[in-house]
Amino acid sequence: TSTLVDMINTLLDFSEMEAWDTLNLQRYPTRFPILVEQAIEGWHLEMREKGLTFEEDIPQDVPLVYVDHKRMRWVVTNIVRNAWQYTPEGGRVSIRLYSEDDHVLLEVADTGIGISRRNQERLFTRFHRVANTVRTRGIGLGLYVCQAIVEEHSGEILVASEEGVGSKFTIKLPALPKEYKKAK
């Protein structure tokens, strides 16, 4: 049922984007490590049950970001879910948070089936589903909505992948200046 609820929420986000050409973000200065930890909280058991190693490198000292908590948590969860879905038993999913220049970056890497170059070009297109041997449920909107949310935050989402080796998705968000102290 959580998959169905996720699909419905994705459709609602998509409908809102299409109807209003915006996401009505409720943004706040945010400690991103806390948001990421909340988003991945339930994934430890899922990873273990599938026989995956789940590694985290989430330092608490990265700069604040200015984000909509609900939407950004959804993005992180969706990227982690994809890594879980497309990584076979015995594989690894890792999460790394760090800052670079004036940005905060979150990498989600896996040792999954990978994505062909041709599919990488269309990965963030709405209703695009990658044809592969892994049977998953979905509507082909997850990464499209992820990209829209990240771009609405003046960020970008990047992918590096090789078939048979795995994928790495990177969410890159502008950091608030260090003197900005208040966070939710």
Side-chain angles (χ1 to χ4, degrees):
T1 54
S2 69
T3 303
L4 182 58
V5 170
D6 290 338
M7 282 192 230
I8 291 168
N9 286 332
T10 302
L11 278 173
L12 290 172
D13 281 340
F14 174 72
S15 297
E16 184 180 324
M17 284 172 17
E18 292 295 297
W20 305 105
D21 196 33
T22 185
L23 284 168
N24 273 338
L25 298 178
Q26 305 295 313
R27 299 180 349 156
Y28 302 96
T30 302
R31 293 189 59 223
F32 205 47
I34 293 172
L35 186 145
V36 170
E37 288 169 347
Q38 291 170 346
I40 66 171
E41 192 175 317
W43 284 103
H44 296 89
L45 179 60
E46 297 280 344
M47 298 286 180
R48 193 169 44 253
E49 285 179 350
K50 189 173 177 181
L52 301 177
T53 302
F54 191 36
E55 300 170 345
E56 301 171 39
D57 180 8
I58 306 174
Q60 298 296 311
D61 62 350
V62 297
L64 299 177
V65 291
Y66 191 58
V67 298
D68 179 305
H69 294 183
K70 176 183 162 209
R71 306 289 182 158
M72 198 54 67
R73 226 181 348 258
W74 186 91
V75 168
V76 174
T77 300
N78 195 70
I79 299 296
V80 171
R81 177 184 301 110
N82 282 351
W84 171 81
Q85 278 184 320
Y86 294 104
T87 302
E89 182 179 349
R92 184 181 73 250
V93 174
S94 60
I95 295 176
R96 177 177 171 238
L97 182 66
Y98 61 101
S99 60
E100 185 176 274
D101 301 323
D102 295 332
H103 291 87
V104 173
L105 293 92
L106 178 70
E107 291 178 354
V108 178
D110 64 58
T111 58
I113 62 173
I115 307 162
S116 71
R117 280 212 190 284
R118 195 178 99 244
N119 277 313
Q120 286 179 50
E121 294 169 9
R122 300 184 52 219
L123 200 56
F124 297 100
T125 306
R126 63 183 172 174
F127 302 117
H128 177 72
R129 296 219 3 131
V130 175
N132 58 50
T133 57
V134 178
R135 298 179 70 66
T136 61
R137 295 178 67 186
I139 51 180
L141 286 175
L143 290 175
Y144 171 76
V145 174
C146 282
Q147 183 180 44
I149 291 170
V150 171
E151 287 179 351
E152 196 77 11
H153 285 86
S154 302
E156 61 183 319
I157 186 167
L158 310 161
V159 63
S161 186
E162 186 178 335
E163 283 183 286
V165 177
S167 302
K168 178 171 65 174
F169 284 82
T170 305
I171 299 165
K172 184 177 181 180
L173 298 168
L176 284 172
K178 288 193 187 323
E179 56 273 5
Y180 208 101
K181 301 281 186 215
K182 274 192 131 171
K184 276 197 143 195

